Amino acid sequence: MNVAGSRTDGTLSPSAMLANFDWNGDWRARVESTGHGWTAYLAIDTRSLRFPGGATRWGLNLARYVPRQQLTLQWSGTSLDAAVTDLSRMGGLTGMDALAPSSGWQLMPYALARYSNLGAGAAQGGFDLRYAITPGVAASLTVNPDFAEAEVDAQQINLTPYALFKPEKRAFFLDGSNQFTFASGLGYNFIPFYSRTIGLFDGFPVRIDDGVKVVGQVGPWSIGALGVRSGNSAVTDPTNLFVGCLAYDVDEHLRLGTMVTDGDPSGRARNRFEGVDAVWRTASFLGDKNLNASAWLARTSGDVAAGRHDGFGTYIDYPNDRWRWVISANQYGDALDPALGFLPRPGTRQYDFYLGHFPRPTSENLRWVRQFFFETELEQVDDLNGTTESRKLTVIPFNVITESAEHVETHWAPRYERLFEPFAISEHVTLPAGDYHFQRLHFQAESSSARALQFGAQVETGGFYDGSLTQYIPYARWTTPNGKWHFELNNETDRAALREGHFVQRLYQFKASYTFDNDLVFSSFTQFDSDTDRVGANAQLRWTIAPGREVFFVFNHGVALPLSDVAPWREPAENSLTVNLQWNFYL
C-alpha cells in the first residue's frame, strides 16, 4: 500500500517467488500522514485465512521501498540477494496461539442486475459456500457463479504463429491457485492446468453451473482439488472437469508433487493428464546464495493423436544480485495434449541458457551508475527429430540503472525461424513456409518510477522474416501529488515491410483510476486495436462496505470502427450496465 491508501495483494506459489497480484484477500488498511512522515495500519480478518490452530509462531516479513532513493528497507533477510517474497528468509511473529482459525461455515451470496442494449435486462444470483474441514483445509462450493467484477483482458498483438498467454482474472479460480502450480521455470511455455480453459472456449463464454474446490495444507502435505460442471453452449456440450494436486514437503528445501486433470472443455472428447514434479530451493548455497532446481515428468491419454504422449524437463536457476545463470531443457511430445492446460508448441525440445552479470561500480567516474546489467541468453526450439525450428540469441552489452533511477538498455538479437506451413501474419499478408534468418536491434529508455510523471519507450527494428519490422512501444504514466488520480497510456505500433506485402498494426490502451478512500475506488480501461477495428471501454466503481462485502457497478461499451462520416453517433454500439452485490457471512 502507499501513502494515498491505494493497496494491492497477492499470493505466492510454493514453486516460485513471484506473486500473483490478481488475487484479493479480506483485510482493511488506513494511512495517517503527518509532517514527519506517514504510518500504515493493516488489519487482516484471520477467519479468511487457512492456518493450523495453536501455532505460536508465524512467518512474517515487511519491506518498504523508497523510489526516490532506490532504497528497500526490509525487516528480515537484509541482503542484496534476498527478496521480500522469499519465504525461506522470513522472520518470526510470535504469540499467535491466541488466534483461532475459522472452523465454521462461510456463505458468500451474490445478486446482480444487468442491462444491455443488445438484449433484455437480466437478474441473476448465486453463491459460494465454504467450510473449514480442518484449520488448514477448506472446501468451497460455487453455484451459478458470475464474473462481472473481473477485470477485462488486455489486448495483445501477436506476430507469431503460436498462442499468447492471458492471465486469470476471476476470483473463484484465483483463490487457492498457488496450490495448482507445477514445477518451476516453465513460464508460459507449459502450464498443465490453465484455469482459463474453464468457462471459456475458443473465446466464447461457457456457463458454469457449479463447482467444488478443496485447498489447504495438513502438516507437510498440500492439497488442491477442483471439480467443475459446465453447461451447454453453442460451441460445447455439458461436461465435468477435474483437477487434483498433492504435494509433500520432504524438508525445508525439497517439495515433491503430482497433478492430475481429467476432462475436455469441449465436452466432446476424453482427456487425462498425469504429471509429477520436484522442486528444490535453498537460500544458503555457498553460504548465503540462492539456488533453485526443478524436474518434471508428465503424459496425457484419452482421445489424443498418435505420437509421443509424454514430456519431461529440468531447470536450474542461480538468481542472485551480482550473478545469475539459468539452464533449462524441456521436451514436449507431439501428442502431449493437456486439454485443461496451455502448451503452445507441442512436439518440441526447448532449451534456454542464460548468463547475467550485474556489477555495482565504485569508480568515481561512474558515480552516476547504480547498477549495470550485462546479459546473454540463447533460446532454441527443436522438433523431436533434432531439427531446429527457432533460435534466438540475445546479447545485452549496455543496460544501466542510474543513481536517479533512470533506465537505458540496448540489445542485439540474431534470430532464426523455420515455418513448416504458410503463416498468415496479418489479414492480407501470408508468409510462405521456409527458413528465415534475420537480426533485431532493441533500444529502451525509461524515466524514474519515483517521478509523478513517468514515461518511456521501446523501439525495436531490423530484419523480420524476409523483410523488415519496426516496433514502437511508448508509454506515459502520471499520478497526482496526493496519489488519488492515476493515468496510464500505452501504445504499440508495428510497421512491417515484407516481400509478400506491407502491414501496420496498432494497439492503444488507456487506464485511469481514482481512489476516493481505501474502500471506494473507480477505475476504467479503454483500448483499441487495429486488427479488429474495435474500441472497447470498461469502467468499474468498487465499494467495499467491509472485507468480503462489496458492491460493483460495471459499465461496458464497445463500438466498431470506422464510424460513418454522416452520422457516427448512430453507429451500432454495445452498451451494458451491471450492478453486482456480494456479501460475506460467517456462520
Side-chain angles (χ1 to χ4, degrees):
M1 61 180 301
N2 65 13
V3 66
S6 297
R7 55 196 176 106
T8 188
D9 47 16
T11 58
L12 290 172
S13 163
S15 59
M17 292 188 296
L18 298 178
N20 179 354
F21 289 106
D22 292 312
W23 174 87
N24 290 305
D26 291 347
W27 58 291
R28 287 180 175 272
R30 66 182 176 88
V31 170
E32 286 185 1
S33 298
T34 68
H36 303 287
W38 60 283
T39 303
Y41 296 88
L42 285 71
I44 302 172
D45 190 337
T46 57
R47 294 176 298 178
S48 67
L49 304 179
R50 291 179 291 272
F51 59 92
T56 61
R57 183 183 184 276
W58 287 26
L60 175 72
N61 209 350
L62 307 167
R64 182 193 174 201
Y65 180 60
V66 186
R68 67 183 181 277
Q69 298 176 316
Q70 299 186 72
L71 175 66
T72 298
L73 305 172
Q74 193 160 300
W75 181 60
S76 178
T78 51
S79 163
L80 290 173
D81 295 320
V84 70
T85 55
D86 184 350
L87 303 183
S88 66
R89 300 178 186 265
M90 290 190 298
L93 181 64
T94 59
M96 303 300 290
D97 50 312
L99 288 178
S102 177
S103 58
W105 295 88
Q106 184 181 2
L107 177 64
M108 296 161 285
Y110 82 88
L112 68 79
R114 178 181 291 120
Y115 169 78
S116 172
N117 66 322
L118 300 183
Q124 183 176 324
F127 65 88
D128 289 356
L129 182 64
R130 182 179 299 168
Y131 176 70
I133 302 174
T134 72
V137 179
S140 300
L141 167 68
T142 186
V143 175
N144 197 28
D146 183 87
F147 308 112
E149 79 284 359
E151 182 182 343
V152 298
D153 288 326
Q155 297 296 326
Q156 304 175 63
I157 294 179
N158 189 0
L159 298 178
T160 75
Y162 315 108
L164 297 180
F165 173 84
K166 291 185 177 181
E168 179 61 82
K169 301 289 186 179
R170 298 168 295 177
F172 175 74
F173 294 105
L174 290 171
D175 181 37
S177 59
N178 52 351
Q179 300 290 359
F180 294 92
T181 56
F182 186 77
S184 288
L186 294 174
Y188 301 144
N189 295 322
F190 179 41
I191 304 174
F193 171 51
Y194 182 43
S195 58
R196 286 181 62 97
T197 59
I198 301 178
L200 295 167
F201 188 81
D202 287 343
F204 294 94
V206 176
R207 189 184 78 251
I208 296 177
D209 292 333
D210 47 56
V212 176
K213 178 165 57 178
V214 177
V215 292
Q217 188 160 345
V218 179
W221 294 95
S222 297
I223 303 166
L226 171 68
V228 171
R229 185 174 63 176
S230 63
N232 199 7
S233 74
V235 292
T236 64
D237 293 339
T239 187
N240 295 318
L241 306 171
F242 172 79
V243 183
C245 295
L246 185 65
Y248 179 74
D249 293 325
V250 178
D251 54 31
E252 62 178 330
H253 301 296
L254 178 61
R255 165 173 288 216
L256 303 178
T258 183
M259 175 181 286
V260 175
T261 73
D262 189 77
D264 188 295
S266 71
R268 299 166 184 168
R270 297 179 300 111
N271 187 278
R272 186 178 181 88
F273 168 88
E274 299 166 320
V276 294
D277 70 316
V279 177
W280 185 83
R281 182 185 305 279
T282 183
S284 56
F285 181 69
L286 298 178
D288 61 350
K289 301 300 181 183
N290 302 306
L291 184 66
N292 309 322
S294 176
W296 65 275
L297 175 66
R299 68 184 302 273
T300 55
S301 58
D303 298 327
V304 294
R308 297 201 58 169
H309 302 126
D310 63 338
F312 52 88
T314 60
Y315 169 81
I316 303 177
D317 183 14
Y318 178 81
N320 293 285
D321 178 67
R322 299 295 180 91
W323 289 93
R324 182 179 186 185
W325 51 264
V326 175
I327 301 174
S328 73
N330 297 283
Q331 175 171 303
Y332 309 104
D334 53 342
L336 180 65
D337 181 21
L340 292 177
F342 180 79
L343 179 58
R345 300 188 70 169
T348 60
R349 297 185 181 124
Q350 301 186 19
Y351 308 96
D352 188 0
F353 305 96
Y354 169 87
L355 177 63
H357 179 43
F358 320 127
R360 298 174 180 269
T362 57
S363 169
E364 284 293 319
N365 296 328
L366 295 173
R367 291 180 60 187
W368 57 277
V369 175
R370 172 61 63 97
Q371 191 169 15
F372 282 115
F373 301 84
F374 302 111
E375 302 166 88
T376 301
E377 183 173 20
L378 175 63
E379 302 166 89
Q380 182 162 316
V381 178
D382 297 345
D383 66 16
L384 298 182
N385 296 318
T387 302
T388 299
E389 294 184 2
S390 302
R391 183 188 302 114
K392 180 181 179 182
L393 173 65
T394 303
V395 179
I396 304 179
F398 185 78
N399 184 0
V400 62
I401 300 293
T402 70
E403 281 292 338
S404 56
E406 269 66 43
H407 172 219
V408 181
E409 175 184 342
T410 181
H411 66 242
W412 167 64
R415 296 181 58 180
Y416 165 75
E417 295 287 343
R418 166 173 286 188
L419 297 179
F420 291 91
E421 57 186 28
F423 167 41
I425 195 169
S426 74
E427 184 179 0
H428 304 293
V429 178
T430 299
L431 292 166
D435 295 344
Y436 298 88
H437 295 266
F438 53 95
Q439 300 185 44
R440 307 285 295 156
L441 292 175
H442 177 97
F443 306 92
Q444 183 175 344
E446 298 171 292
S447 64
S448 169
S449 61
R451 306 184 190 279
L453 175 62
Q454 307 166 43
F455 56 90
Q458 299 179 42
V459 178
E460 191 169 293
T461 188
F464 189 69
Y465 289 97
D466 57 9
S468 63
L469 171 74
T470 301
Q471 183 181 68
Y472 307 92
I473 308 179
Y475 76 86
R477 304 183 187 118
W478 180 53
T479 304
T480 55
N482 62 5
K484 296 287 187 180
W485 279 105
H486 177 76
F487 302 94
E488 185 172 335
L489 178 62
N490 299 281
N491 164 245
E492 179 179 338
T493 300
D494 298 323
R495 298 179 178 274
L498 305 177
R499 187 180 304 163
E500 294 73 26
H502 297 201
F503 68 86
V504 178
Q505 292 195 15
R506 296 183 175 89
L507 174 64
Y508 295 92
Q509 296 174 330
F510 176 69
K511 293 183 178 182
S513 63
Y514 182 76
T515 303
F516 294 91
D517 57 37
N518 296 340
D519 300 320
L520 186 62
V521 178
F522 167 81
S523 62
S524 68
F525 184 24
T526 304
Q527 50 187 341
F528 163 78
D529 72 279
S530 60
D531 190 37
T532 61
D533 275 341
R534 180 179 174 83
V535 175
N538 171 270
Q540 183 181 109
L541 181 66
R542 176 177 179 174
W543 177 26
T544 303
I545 303 170
R549 300 179 178 183
E550 298 175 317
V551 180
F552 296 88
F553 298 86
V554 183
F555 175 72
N556 287 294
H557 172 77
V559 61
L561 299 179
L563 301 176
S564 67
D565 296 330
V566 180
W569 59 87
R570 294 181 181 175
E571 293 291 328
E574 298 178 22
N575 293 301
S576 67
L577 176 64
T578 303
V579 180
N580 188 337
L581 172 64
Q582 301 178 5
W583 208 264
N584 192 346
F585 297 95
Y586 289 97
L587 307 177

